[in-house]
Amino acid sequence: MLRFMFVGDSMTIGSAGEHTWRLRMWQHLRATLGDDGFAVVGPRAALYDKAAGEPVSFDYADPDPAFPRNHLAGWGEGWLHMAPAIPGALTDDPADVLLVSLGLIDLGFYTNADQTAANVRAFVAGARSAAPRIRMVLLPVIPNIRAESDAPFAAEVARFNELLAKTVADLDTAASPLLLASRPESYDIHTDTYDGTHPNASGEHKLADAFARALARGWGIAALRERSPAEKSHALLV
């Protein structure tokens, strides 16, 4: 059984009333690996409640009780915050694969591209200190509305994505492999988000698909197989 942990910022934790891309990915893993082939782990389970300003909601749009809400994601949190948090999270909830979507909040509020890349390296080191054979799939910073109008910010995003690719190449090892997921090619902030940043239903599917493609192509995990019609309805386009 493979144990997955979702790590991310507001796009990953989601807010009250959303499905989240975590649900879409869980449905894909369920369709390809089977219920007994994987587990989802993590120290948190709630959604962010915008009215309360805290992650205290369990109002998921899909009430399926089988969906494991576990994650390590936070509204307003980035590599800066997750680097010191990941060793303890993996000690308490051992995982085999981390699916990580971080960076936008760092570049927007906390650190420049070089500092953010340094925090990626600290995150990888911290994860390996708790789980020496951990696998990680890292998603670049995807399109967002601020980058459309803020040229210096867009340049920092582009530079960070270049540094992230170099970091993955530098730190990849046979014992603890890293994969760089590809940015969803068709991702459009005007049709795949509800505010220019946070994914709507179509965006959730595309983010999950980016991770599914990386797992299938890089490691042969959760690749498509002959499936029943019911399974096909939840399998992503990998």
Side-chain angles (χ1 to χ4, degrees), residues 55-96:
V56 294
S57 173
F58 290 88
D59 182 22
Y60 283 85
D62 189 328
D64 187 344
F67 170 46
R69 274 66 169 165
N70 309 76
H71 63 78
L72 177 61
W75 201 275
E77 296 186 53
W79 290 106
L80 174 68
H81 308 85
M82 294 306 179
I86 192 62
L90 286 172
T91 298
D92 294 339
D93 292 287
D96 303 295

Side-chain angles (χ1 to χ4, degrees), residues 85-121:
I86 192 62
L90 286 172
T91 298
D92 294 339
D93 292 287
D96 303 295
V97 182
L98 302 180
L99 303 179
V100 188
S101 174
L102 290 169
L104 179 59
I105 199 73
D106 300 86
L107 299 170
F109 295 95
Y110 304 120
T111 51
N112 63 27
D114 292 88
Q115 292 166 332
T116 305
N119 285 330
V120 176
R121 290 177 178 268

Side-chain angles (χ1 to χ4, degrees), residues 143 184 186-193 206:
S186 63
Y187 200 88
D188 185 333
I189 64 171
H190 303 290
T191 57
D192 294 319
T193 76
K206 290 179 180 180

Side-chain angles (χ1 to χ4, degrees), residues 182-223:
S182 296
R183 193 185 84 177
E185 292 182 5
S186 63
Y187 200 88
D188 185 333
I189 64 171
H190 303 290
T191 57
D192 294 319
T193 76
Y194 62 80
D195 62 357
T197 299
H198 299 94
N200 57 21
S202 64
E204 290 170 355
H205 279 286
K206 290 179 180 180
L207 291 181
D209 187 63
F211 284 101
R213 288 178 185 272
L215 288 172
R217 294 174 177 176
W219 299 325
I221 295 174

Side-chain angles (χ1 to χ4, degrees), residues 38-179:
F38 75 102
V40 174
V41 302
R44 306 175 186 176
L47 294 160
Y48 185 74
D49 186 319
K50 293 180 181 179
E54 297 181 71
V56 294
S57 173
F58 290 88
D59 182 22
Y60 283 85
D62 189 328
D64 187 344
F67 170 46
R69 274 66 169 165
N70 309 76
H71 63 78
L72 177 61
W75 201 275
E77 296 186 53
W79 290 106
L80 174 68
H81 308 85
M82 294 306 179
I86 192 62
L90 286 172
T91 298
D92 294 339
D93 292 287
D96 303 295
V97 182
L98 302 180
L99 303 179
V100 188
S101 174
L102 290 169
L104 179 59
I105 199 73
D106 300 86
L107 299 170
F109 295 95
Y110 304 120
T111 51
N112 63 27
D114 292 88
Q115 292 166 332
T116 305
N119 285 330
V120 176
R121 290 177 178 268
F123 177 95
V124 172
R128 287 172 169 169
S129 71
R133 303 193 66 81
I134 192 73
R135 298 184 184 202
M136 294 173 244
V137 184
L138 312 183
L139 183 70
V141 175
I142 61 172
N144 62 88
I145 194 166
R146 179 174 170 181
E148 281 201 337
S149 59
D150 185 337
F153 176 71
E156 283 297 295
V157 170
R159 174 164 171 73
F160 171 72
N161 282 342
E162 292 175 357
L163 292 172
L164 182 65
K166 183 179 186 302
T167 299
V168 169
D170 288 347
L171 300 184
D172 179 45
T173 68
S176 175
L178 305 183
L179 284 178

